[in-house]
Amino acid sequence: MILPIYLYGQPVLRKVAEPITKDYPGLKTLLENMFETMYKSDGIGLAAPQIGLAIRVVVIDASPMAEEEPSLANSKITLINPQITSFEGDNVTMEEGCLSLPGIHEAVTRKNTIHITYMDENFVEHKEVISGYLARVIQHEYDHLEGHVFTDRISPIRRQLISGKLQNIIKGKVSCNYKTK
Ligand code: ZN
């Protein structure tokens, strides 16, 4: 089932999301719906707050970008209760967008490498070190679980320059080809 994407301005995007337990009701269906919603909207990552649930669940599949970034070929991943335990490596600046902020693309600086602990869809624990573009996608989605969006990380001047666009999203003056709320 395709779910509506909550847009910038919705309070749920500003909440710190709660961890879930293995017996979270309807988890399997929720994950299926999140992947379907992400694919339908041409996203490469989706965090539960973006579908209105303040829980620590993220789905990612950046394989459509594998032509440019071969390392992304097998990047389909479910992160439950993720914890980024440390960051390392260089700062890398790249343009990002977000399904909750349609029409906005801004350069964001992030660390190249993360150490992360998470549960997969079967609640099996993983500890991994991830670098490059996938580390960026995970940091972007992780921000959603902390109540942040990527425009929080741009310079105050850039944020001022796009404030009109942000206000338009809050007012619902946006057009996108997926269901929104
Ligand atoms: Zn996002």
Side-chain angles (χ1 to χ4, degrees):
M1 185 171 69
I2 293 161
L3 308 166
I5 306 242
Y6 283 56
L7 296 184
Y8 183 82
Q10 287 277 7
V12 69
L13 293 176
R14 290 308 190 182
K15 283 188 184 156
V16 177
E18 296 284 339
I20 62 164
T21 55
K22 196 176 180 177
D23 56 1
Y24 186 84
L27 179 59
K28 190 170 182 283
T29 305
L30 172 67
L31 293 173
E32 286 168 5
N33 291 344
M34 285 179 70
F35 272 110
E36 189 181 354
T37 300
M38 178 182 77
Y39 290 134
K40 181 72 185 175
S41 50
D42 291 326
I44 56 172
L46 186 69
Q50 293 181 276
I51 51 143
L53 294 174
I55 57 172
R56 301 184 83 81
V57 175
V58 166
V59 297
I60 290 171
D61 187 353
S63 57
M65 297 181 70
E67 257 180 52
E68 299 150 57
E69 296 272 345
S71 65
L72 297 174
N74 295 305
S75 56
K76 185 175 178 185
I77 188 171
T78 299
L79 305 175
I80 296 173
N81 302 341
Q83 284 291 328
I84 296 179
T85 52
S86 62
F87 300 83
E88 62 181 53
D90 296 336
N91 287 324
V92 182
T93 302
M94 281 181 80
E95 197 167 83
E96 293 186 15
C98 179
L99 294 174
S100 295
L101 291 96
I104 295 182
H105 295 90
E106 292 289 325
V108 180
T109 301
R110 298 188 189 274
K111 288 288 186 188
N112 188 56
T113 299
I114 55 169
H115 294 239
I116 187 170
T117 305
Y118 65 94
M119 306 289 185
D120 65 20
E121 60 277 20
N122 300 311
F123 262 79
V124 175
E125 190 182 46
H126 296 256
K127 281 186 165 85
E128 290 177 16
V129 180
I130 298 173
S131 295
Y133 200 84
L134 183 58
R136 170 173 297 273
V137 177
I138 291 172
Q139 287 176 76
H140 175 116
E141 301 308 329
Y142 192 82
D143 274 353
H144 281 301
L145 304 183
E146 296 295 308
H148 301 306
V149 294
F150 77 98
T151 50
D152 299 350
R153 294 188 175 275
I154 66 177
S155 71
I157 293 168
R158 284 300 311 166
R159 207 175 309 119
Q160 183 59 36
L161 285 168
I162 63 165
S163 62
K165 282 188 186 178
L166 291 171
Q167 283 305 312
N168 282 342
I169 297 175
I170 291 171
K171 290 178 197 152
K173 290 185 196 163
V174 280
S175 71
C176 41
N177 55 4
Y178 47 87
K179 271 196 293 177
T180 59
K181 192 157 175 165

